[in-house]
Amino acid sequence: PCFVLMCFLGLVNWQVQERLAPNANLIQDQLRNQIRNRGTLANLDGKYWVANDRRIYSFALTPKTDPNNTSASDNETAPVPVICVADCALRNLVVYEFVSRGQELQTLYRAEKAVWQEDRIRFEGPVTKSTLTGGNVASVKIEGGEIMEAENPFLAIRKKPSQLSSDDIRLQIQSSESEVEQRSFRVALEKRYSTLFLPLIIALFTAPFALSLNRKGKAVTVGYAVALWLLFMGVTSSFEQLGLSGTLSPQLAVWAPLAIFASLGGFLLSRVRT
């Protein structure tokens, strides 16, 4: 019954990590930033800011339920997309384009609607383009248009795996251009999968100390269990760092400690006197 309960807790743990934890962690980080900023609120209007070496983008994400969002499906009901991938719809987009390594503002674009595609941002509807030359500002209104961007700048909205579901982590892996970032997300994805089995494995190597009829006091056996748990945490953390550094594959870095301690737990159970 104990092991069946651990399997059930693994399923509950998975559901929490997939459905509740991402938004809860996002709210937690926002509150932490608010406290650090001494109560100053950010993004009250749902706007985001991202930047690269040439441009700064200010924008809001179109809700998934909006029919103008080409990336939405009929079954999606979340208020906004977690990350912006191909055909991600944007609104109230402002693009600040700089020259001289970001030291001088050259062009300003204002568009009510835009769409990110593979290597460009395509404006939809009327666009106000302001050009700054010689201290003067010249503004013109154009219809549509696009600007080239080699990498998706809007992926930086949510970078923490704790704020993403497993599907969103896979999207980040596919869209990321950085090998280090891909490795980090792959380790995070394997860790997310391991949450299904983590309670069962912990029970395997701690249950022998609870079931044993050894003459030693219960306090001693509990101490052994705690020591083994601390060893487990240290080994998993060490293997995770090896996975993040590229020394081990993400699968081996996450699953090897679990396999080792599951085998140890099975061995201890086979030797316990009940």
Side-chain angles (χ1 to χ4, degrees):
C2 175
F3 294 144
V4 172
L5 177 61
M6 292 303 102
C7 292
F8 174 73
L9 288 180
L11 291 174
V12 173
N13 192 17
W14 169 265
Q15 292 299 320
V16 169
Q17 293 294 324
E18 285 292 289
R19 301 180 183 275
L20 300 179
N23 285 331
N25 289 329
L26 178 62
I27 294 172
Q28 172 188 249
D29 289 338
Q30 290 174 343
L31 291 175
R32 184 183 292 112
N33 290 334
Q34 181 180 342
I35 293 171
R36 288 174 178 172
N37 294 331
R38 299 182 180 180
T40 302
L41 294 174
N43 284 343
L44 291 177
D45 57 354
K47 298 203 77 173
Y48 297 90
W49 292 81
V50 295
N52 57 24
D53 57 345
R54 289 192 55 206
R55 298 184 179 103
I56 297 176
Y57 298 91
S58 170
F59 63 96
L61 292 175
T62 300
K64 287 187 173 182
T65 53
D66 192 326
N68 294 320
N69 191 338
T70 56
S71 66
S73 67
D74 295 337
N75 296 326
E76 289 172 324
T77 58
V80 293
V82 174
I83 55 177
C84 185
V85 292
D87 292 333
C88 173
L90 312 167
R91 58 186 174 88
N92 300 330
L93 175 65
V94 181
V95 182
Y96 303 85
E97 191 171 75
F98 292 84
V99 294
S100 303
R101 296 184 179 180
Q103 297 179 2
E104 182 180 348
L105 181 63
Q106 177 183 0
T107 309
L108 180 68
Y109 299 89
R110 293 187 181 91
E112 293 184 4
K113 296 180 182 180
V115 174
W116 161 257
Q117 294 182 334
E118 293 183 358
D119 58 352
R120 68 196 65 198
I121 300 169
R122 180 168 54 84
F123 302 123
E124 296 181 344
V127 180
T128 302
K129 178 181 180 181
S130 302
T131 305
L132 285 73
T133 53
N136 299 318
V137 180
S139 298
V140 294
K141 287 190 175 294
I142 57 177
E143 190 70 20
E146 60 186 29
I147 57 176
M148 304 301 295
E149 191 68 81
E151 298 181 1
N152 186 352
F154 308 112
L155 285 175
I157 298 172
R158 292 193 189 182
K159 284 288 190 181
K160 295 183 178 180
S162 63
Q163 298 176 357
L164 304 172
S165 67
S166 57
D167 290 338
D168 298 322
I169 294 175
R170 282 193 291 269
L171 286 175
Q172 286 281 20
I173 293 172
Q174 295 170 5
S175 305
S176 177
E177 300 290 337
S178 168
E179 182 180 347
V180 175
E181 191 174 83
Q182 284 185 357
R183 195 160 55 235
S184 174
F185 280 115
R186 285 196 169 95
V187 171
L189 184 61
E190 296 299 328
K191 285 184 64 178
R192 184 67 55 84
Y193 291 149
S194 71
T195 58
L196 280 166
F197 307 97
L198 192 58
L200 176 61
I201 293 172
I202 293 173
L204 278 173
F205 66 77
T206 55
F209 298 97
L211 299 174
S212 175
L213 295 180
N214 196 306
R215 293 182 179 180
K216 294 181 180 179
K218 286 293 182 182
V220 176
T221 56
V222 170
Y224 287 155
V226 172
L228 194 57
W229 161 255
L230 294 175
L231 179 62
F232 171 73
M233 294 297 295
V235 171
T236 53
S237 297
S238 300
F239 271 70
E240 182 181 342
Q241 292 302 315
L242 292 174
L244 293 173
S245 65
T247 305
L248 298 177
S249 67
Q251 293 81 5
L252 186 61
V254 173
W255 293 101
L258 301 183
I260 292 171
F261 279 85
S263 302
L264 177 62
F267 172 76
L268 293 176
L269 276 175
S270 68
R271 300 294 300 273
V272 69
R273 296 176 58 187
T274 60

